[in-house]
Amino acid sequence: MVAQNARRLARITEEVLDIARVRHQIDHMSDQLLCLDESVAALFQDWSQTTHAAPFARTFLQAGEAEVAFDPDHLRRVLVNLLDNALRYIGKHPDSLQISTGISTTGQVGLQVWSDGAPLEKTVEQHLFEPFFSSESRSSGLGLYICRELCERHGATISYQRVPRHTGRGLVQGNAFVVAFRAQRPVAGVDDALDTPLV
């Protein structure tokens, strides 16, 4: 027990230092325009090779040529964090984890990470993005907080919703984390690809 707690404290210390590094980067950086679909596809490929999650995950990238203002490393941190969190609780179906991009009818470009895990308790949901809050003793509770900090720096928002998605088993309720990016120039000819509105 002492060894486990020592390792957890070491992880927390490293992540607190990581927050300081992230904030320093945020204060000394300029926005870059990234093609969302292209970036998400590359990041997901790298992540799935590392985690061997490909048999349980599907991507639906339908944002076309839409660009978002986001630092590439920060987008990687946000997406990988959301995917890692989802992977802990998904089922073993080919579409238990779904990554979607799209543009809403109002022109909002968004990214959604959906998984078929059990619903979150209301007490957990209320504090999801707060620092050091976690429902697991092994977690530092800083991952989603860092995601929120990075999104807000880039003019984006991140939210949690319990929503259904179409799967090979029919319509399944699941946990969705949605990143709504800062508006850029509109992209014509792209339909709304997300199952939920970006609010």
Side-chain angles (χ1 to χ4, degrees):
M1 185 181 298
V2 171
Q4 289 176 348
N5 287 333
R7 286 192 293 270
R8 181 170 180 264
L9 287 172
R11 286 197 302 272
I12 291 175
T13 301
E14 180 59 31
E15 292 199 24
V16 170
L17 292 173
D18 197 32
I19 288 176
R21 287 191 289 267
V22 166
R23 286 180 173 168
H24 178 77
Q25 293 171 1
I26 284 174
D27 292 336
H28 299 82
M29 61 164 289
S30 58
D31 287 335
Q32 300 180 44
L33 286 179
L34 306 175
C35 177
L36 181 61
D37 282 2
E38 182 180 308
S39 299
V40 171
L43 292 170
F44 173 74
Q45 182 176 12
D46 290 344
W47 176 82
S48 61
Q49 289 176 348
T50 303
T51 59
H52 307 291
F56 314 111
R58 295 290 181 269
T59 59
F60 303 91
L61 307 182
Q62 296 178 280
E65 298 300 319
E67 295 180 324
V68 296
F70 224 93
D71 177 80
D73 287 337
H74 292 172
L75 182 61
R76 176 186 60 79
R77 293 172 70 91
V78 171
L79 182 58
V80 167
N81 196 306
L82 295 178
L83 291 172
D84 283 345
N85 284 348
L87 188 61
R88 296 190 186 105
Y89 307 106
I90 62 170
K92 298 302 181 181
H93 303 281
D95 47 15
S96 286
L97 175 59
Q98 299 186 22
I99 303 93
S100 305
T101 62
I103 304 178
S104 72
T105 53
T106 61
Q108 180 78 64
V109 179
L111 164 68
Q112 183 187 96
V113 175
W114 179 94
S115 61
D116 63 357
L120 301 181
E121 296 181 5
K122 287 298 180 182
T123 53
V124 173
E125 184 178 342
Q126 291 171 357
H127 302 283
L128 269 179
F129 299 100
E130 295 179 7
F132 301 109
F133 177 81
S134 175
S135 60
E136 295 183 353
S137 60
R138 293 174 297 173
S139 172
S140 66
L142 291 172
L144 289 176
Y145 170 72
I146 290 176
C147 287
R148 189 193 68 183
E149 290 285 297
L150 293 174
C151 286
E152 289 182 353
R153 163 58 184 85
H154 294 284
T157 61
I158 183 170
S159 61
Y160 164 80
Q161 304 167 26
R162 181 72 180 175
V163 298
R165 280 194 69 93
H166 294 285
T167 72
R169 297 157 279 157
L171 202 61
V172 175
Q173 289 284 342
N175 299 313
F177 285 86
V178 176
V179 177
F181 294 95
R182 189 174 72 204
Q184 300 297 317
R185 57 184 174 83
V187 179
V190 181
D191 296 327
D192 185 5
L194 296 175
D195 284 352
T196 58
L198 295 173
V199 294

